[in-house]
Amino acid sequence: MNMEHRGGHYQSRSIEGPSVRPADGAPGGITLEHSVRRARRLRDLRREMLGPDNFSGPAWDILLHLFESYVLQRRDTVGNVCDGTEVPPTTVIRWISRLEQCGMLIVRDDHLDNRRRFVELTRHGSDTMVRYFSGIAPHLIAA
């Protein structure tokens, strides 16, 4: 929408733009406007499920990485999380600590190698991610 000045006040007028055309390769003529609205709804859903501090940025990248590991039944170290998220190590460590305090993940020492620590989702963390991907937001995935 754009505002047009007429007779001393502004009126809205439509603008033909990319939002009215189907997205490239979109099935069934889904418009860019529809895609953007879905992405915003998913962001709002993540905010609601994960809280205002954990729904985006490094926290979301870490949760997404750890959920993939959970699905694939793969163990992760702090180093794996840094590599898999492409987030700087100091940021990953800080966010792992915050997510652990929120009850979303747990960090365990490797009793065979004291230099290594394992990171995994808690039951609460995995249940939340399962609900997000399979129960509440099916087929609307926009990570």
Side-chain angles (χ1 to χ4, degrees):
M1 291 292 206
N2 193 7
M3 301 303 282
E4 188 174 281
H5 190 267
R6 283 190 183 166
H9 62 280
Y10 286 93
Q11 293 179 331
S12 64
R13 64 179 170 93
S14 292
I15 297 176
E16 282 293 311
S19 66
V20 297
R21 293 190 308 251
D24 291 339
I30 295 173
T31 64
L32 292 175
E33 179 182 354
H34 179 73
S35 296
V36 168
R37 285 184 179 162
R38 277 194 339 195
R40 290 176 65 96
R41 282 195 312 267
L42 286 170
R43 184 198 61 200
D44 293 344
L45 177 62
R46 283 198 309 268
R47 180 184 294 129
E48 181 182 320
M49 293 179 74
L50 303 172
D53 296 330
N54 301 328
F55 80 97
S56 66
W60 178 244
D61 291 341
I62 291 166
L63 290 169
L64 202 54
H65 177 85
L66 290 173
F67 184 61
E68 180 182 30
S69 294
Y70 169 82
V71 169
L72 298 174
Q73 298 181 357
R74 179 179 67 198
R75 288 188 94 181
D76 270 311
T77 63
V78 173
N80 294 134
V81 175
C82 292
D83 294 341
T85 60
E86 299 181 11
V87 174
T90 54
T91 302
V92 167
I93 291 167
R94 184 173 55 253
W95 277 101
I96 283 175
S97 178
R98 288 180 75 173
L99 290 166
E100 188 174 28
Q101 290 172 0
C102 294
M104 293 295 287
L105 56 85
I106 189 165
V107 180
R108 302 177 197 264
D109 292 329
D110 180 352
H111 49 276
L112 299 176
D113 184 349
N114 290 332
R115 297 170 296 173
R116 187 166 59 177
R117 301 184 78 201
F118 292 110
V119 185
E120 61 189 63
L121 294 173
T122 60
R123 177 65 181 238
H124 170 67
S126 61
D127 286 350
T128 300
M129 296 300 282
V130 165
R131 275 194 334 272
Y132 178 78
F133 280 100
S134 64
I136 295 176
H139 313 294
L140 300 176
I141 305 309

